[in-house]
Every structure is written in structure tokens, then in C-alpha cells.
Amino acid sequence: MPDKNAFRHQPLLKGATGALLLAGTALGAPAVLAEEIAIACGTGDAADYCPTAAREWAEQTGHSVKVVSTPNSATERLSLYQQLLGSESSDIDVMMVDVVWPGLLGNHLVDLNDYLPEETTDGFFPALIDNNTVDGRLVALPWFTDAGLLYYRKDLLEKHGHSVPETWQELTETAEAIQAAEREAGNDDFWGYSFQGRAYEGLTCNALEWVASHGGGTLVDAEGEVTIDNPRAAAALDLAASWIGNITPEGALNHTEEETRGIFQSGNALFLRNWPYVWSLANGEGSEVAGKVGMAPLPHGPEGESRATLGGWNFAVPRYSEHPELAAELAAFITSREQQKAHAIQMGMNPTIESLYRDEEVLAGNPSMSDLYETLVGGVPRPATVTGEAYARVSNAFFNRTHQVLSGDLDGASAVQQLGRELERLGRRGW
């Protein structure tokens, strides 16, 4: 058996010529193994289970695996991948890719159906397999998933006689009432609702939830038709704008996930929109709200239903890999039911295989996962696959127009009209 102590994470390095080089220590016994597979995991820190799963595959198959750490920033990681793929580099055999990248990178990725049994995709959430299928080609296997959730202070709702809101209007009214009461009691820093309002991808996720839950569509439909210019979408954005300075701090216009978590976890917010990772942190040691937190589906508009934007990560194989069959096998191993179960139990990450949300061992360590199931089933993917390489520009246009509405520079109707025109122009160039 290989010496596990010899394993260490290695970053991508630049050589004297500026060329990208891989520095890594192989897992396995390289002296006797025929092939070595390089996999780009996440950050390579203690929260990254990918190297553990890669090590197991190496031990079971007799091949060796080189684990390559990548930048923590998704933007920087994407830039690195685009550089490698653009140069048709064979340095990485398996890549960990964001849920919105398959359409963007799809032309550089193999069709995993060519290397894996048909039943490999059985049991995954269908929406995630659809997301990872580009022009009929399965270009990535889902690893773990996320969806937007509403966190709330159950102690304060009980104290002030309110229930968990089901609509955005109910959230607004409840937040106004309890915020006023808490401030009158002496907490001048208390806010009703905290969300990610900075002009970045996180705002795209929030705004998509507002619009879709009002029955306003998803920007671009499955056929590539632009759908955003409609009254329900405009109403959703106008309602969100009414929160700024009222139940949401003006600083939210520059808040990302961690700033919003900090406000909520310090006891200064009634409601929070964030991802599932917050649950264990908000209830963990040192949290001011531990034991006082509830979790629920996001509210909806008057003519819609709760919709949560899907997030998460996947594994893909570049077309330039010298060992595509082994690389596909490794990707399938890491995303298998057994590995996803271990990932859920040990790291609390959300599986992409539906049956694990009914698994007794998974639920014993993560009881909140049973509550996540319906949210994930009804999750709304961003229009990344249908818009392909144009998605970054689509998202950029959406979050910038939304930010203008939140800032008071545009009203909802003007924003969706302008956005509709922008997206139509992008669409005419070809998604």
C-alpha cells in the first residue's frame, strides 16, 4: 500500500519561461505504475475531500494520482482552466468545474458517455445532469450541490409572535416589525434581512430567485429565448430595492456570502439568504446564534412558487488528456454514491444523488439535509448551458442592471427592458 504520509498538495507553478508547470507528489507507487492521472481539486485544504477520494482510487486501481491545488477564487480558477484548455495542455486529466461552466468550457471537454457505462448517471438529480449536458454530450459528473436557502432566528419569531414567511411580502412585513422591536429594545445594529447585493455572480443567484419565484422566468429559456422583459420580473426587482435602507443595510450593495453570514451569525439579522454551508457554522462553537437558527425554503411572489438557484461543483475531463478513459473512471469514482456519502458525513456537503437524502447515516450527522431535498429538486439552474460561452456576459448584464435597481438608479421596468435588449443582442451573435 502506498505511503500516505508522502501525499501533499501541490499548486500550479510558473517556470522560468512563464510556462505553466505542474508540481505534485504522486499518490500510489510510481515506480511500478503504468499511468499517472493529474486531477485539479479545490483548494487542497482540510475542507477539500477530493484528494482523499483520489487517494482511495489510486490505492484500489494501482494507478497513481497527482492532486493539483487550484485558486480559491472561482474567477481565478476559471481563468487558469481557460489558459490551460486554450493551449490544449495535457497537464490536467480531471478538472473540478463550477456548475455554470459546462456550457462555457464544453467544447474542450470529452463526452463522458463515450467512456462510462450508461447507468453511471442513474440516481443523480436530473436537473444537474441536464445542466452538465451540452449539445447532447455529458461533459461533467455532479460532485456536490448547493441551493439558496432562507435562514431565520426561530427564537425571535417565537418571541414576537410571527411565523416563517412563505412570501416575499410576508418576509418584508415580518422583518420590519421585528427589526423595529429589537431596535427599540436597544440593538441599533439589528436588521431584518441580509442578502448578497454586491454586483457579482452572487447577486445573479439572488435576483434569479426573486424573478423566478414571482413567475418572471429565468432570463433565457431552454430554447435560448430571452424572457426577462416582463412585469413580474420588474416587480420582483422593485420589491428587492425597497429592502435597501429599510430592512437591509445599505452596505448590502457590497456584501458577498461571508459578510452576510457575519451579520446573521453575530445576532444582528432576523433573516438571511445564503447557501447550505452556513448551517453548521451558524450552529457551531463561537456563534452568537447557535441553537437559535431555523432553515426554510426561500419565499415566493404572489403568483409564483419558491425557487432556489442551484450551485455546486462537478468533475470533467479535458479533450487533451492523454488518458481520457482512466480520467473518466476517476471522475466517476469520486462522484459515486459511496464517495458522496462519505463526503456528506465527513464534510457535511450536499450530495447530487437523490437517495442519499434518505440515507439514515447521512441524516444522523446532517439532519438538515432531509429539509433540503425539495429545495434541490425544485432548484433553478442559471442559464449557463443554453448561453454557453456568452454566459459570463449574460450574468454580468443581469447583476449590473439589478444592482442599479437596488441602488435606486433604475426602476424595475426600465431595468428589465434594458436587460432584455442587451440579452437579445448577445443572443443574435449566437449563444
Side-chain angles (χ1 to χ4, degrees):
M1 181 175 293
D3 179 6
K4 295 183 181 181
N5 294 323
F7 170 73
R8 55 191 175 93
H9 304 285
Q10 297 294 339
L12 284 168
L13 306 174
K14 282 192 174 181
T17 62
L20 285 168
L21 303 174
L22 285 175
T25 298
L27 304 179
V32 297
L33 296 181
E35 307 294 354
E36 179 181 80
I37 304 299
I39 180 171
C41 287
T43 59
D45 60 19
D48 188 359
Y49 184 79
C50 168
T52 300
R55 178 190 291 117
E56 288 191 22
W57 182 82
E59 293 172 351
Q60 290 184 23
T61 64
H63 295 287
S64 63
V65 177
K66 180 184 295 181
V67 176
V68 181
S69 299
T70 56
N72 187 41
S73 163
T75 301
E76 292 177 8
R77 191 181 305 181
L78 175 60
S79 177
L80 177 61
Y81 285 173
Q82 288 174 317
Q83 182 179 354
L84 289 167
L85 295 171
S87 64
E88 300 187 3
S89 169
S90 61
D91 286 341
I92 294 180
D93 299 291
V94 182
M95 289 180 166
M96 186 174 169
V97 298
D98 190 280
V99 70
V100 295
W101 296 349
L104 181 62
L105 303 178
N107 289 337
H108 295 283
L109 306 175
V110 305
D111 183 355
L112 294 171
N113 288 319
D114 291 342
Y115 299 98
L116 298 172
E118 185 177 341
E119 61 271 17
T120 299
T121 58
D122 290 352
F124 287 97
F125 284 107
L128 296 177
I129 294 298
D130 290 344
N131 180 83
N132 293 351
T133 302
V134 179
D135 297 328
R137 301 166 56 251
L138 179 66
V139 299
L141 288 172
W143 171 217
F144 65 89
T145 188
D146 280 324
L149 294 166
L150 181 70
Y151 293 92
Y152 60 90
R153 287 283 301 279
K154 57 186 182 183
D155 59 322
L156 293 181
L157 290 181
E158 181 178 353
K159 172 184 175 182
H160 297 285
H162 289 267
S163 58
V164 179
E166 294 187 4
T167 69
W168 291 113
Q169 188 59 42
E170 289 173 2
L171 178 144
T172 304
E173 294 169 0
T174 300
E176 288 174 339
I178 294 181
Q179 177 179 295
E182 288 297 302
R183 288 187 177 185
E184 187 175 346
N187 187 356
D188 293 335
D189 296 325
F190 191 84
W191 290 94
Y193 184 43
S194 182
F195 68 90
Q196 299 80 46
R198 184 176 180 175
Y200 79 121
E201 185 68 22
L203 182 53
T204 287
C205 295
N206 278 260
L208 185 59
E209 291 162 348
W210 304 333
V211 170
S213 68
H214 272 75
T218 57
L219 294 179
V220 179
D221 67 18
E223 285 69 47
E225 295 296 320
V226 176
T227 63
I228 188 61
D229 187 3
N230 66 80
R232 292 182 181 180
L237 298 185
D238 282 333
L239 177 60
S242 75
W243 299 332
I244 304 298
N246 178 27
I247 59 173
T248 300
E250 291 188 6
L253 296 173
N254 199 39
H255 285 173
T256 64
E257 282 81 358
E258 283 300 274
E259 287 87 6
T260 60
R261 180 176 71 85
I263 293 171
F264 184 78
Q265 199 166 311
S266 64
N268 289 324
L270 173 65
F271 296 119
L272 165 70
R273 183 271 176 207
N274 215 312
W275 304 100
Y277 83 98
V278 168
W279 176 259
S280 60
L281 296 173
N283 285 293
E285 185 178 350
S287 171
E288 296 292 331
V289 296
K292 304 174 183 178
V293 179
M295 185 176 67
L298 290 165
H300 58 81
E303 299 179 271
E305 57 185 25
S306 176
R307 302 299 301 273
T309 302
L310 291 176
W313 290 84
N314 312 268
F315 283 106
V317 176
R319 286 172 44 206
Y320 318 111
S321 168
E322 295 179 358
H323 312 290
E325 187 168 358
L326 284 177
E329 181 185 320
L330 174 55
F333 178 87
I334 296 179
T335 58
S336 67
R337 189 181 191 282
E338 179 183 7
Q339 292 300 321
Q340 288 205 38
K341 180 175 179 176
H343 196 205
I345 292 173
Q346 296 180 33
M347 303 293 187
M349 304 305 288
N350 302 297
T352 58
I353 293 176
E354 294 190 64
S355 63
L356 287 173
Y357 290 84
R358 300 184 298 274
D359 186 282
E360 292 183 0
E361 291 180 274
V362 170
L363 295 179
N366 304 275
S368 63
M369 281 194 184
S370 62
D371 300 324
L372 281 174
Y373 178 74
E374 293 300 328
T375 297
L376 292 168
V377 169
V380 53
R382 283 160 276 177
T385 300
V386 67
T387 57
E389 294 183 0
Y391 175 72
R393 295 191 293 277
V394 169
S395 179
N396 193 281
F398 186 36
F399 66 62
N400 279 327
R401 289 289 171 262
T402 299
H403 197 267
Q404 288 179 297
V405 176
L406 298 180
S407 301
D409 298 329
L410 282 178
D411 61 24
S414 299
V416 297
Q417 183 181 63
Q418 291 181 26
L419 180 59
R421 291 172 180 170
E422 285 183 81
L423 300 188
E424 291 283 1
R425 287 195 296 271
L426 286 173
R428 284 195 293 271
R429 298 175 193 169
W431 295 126

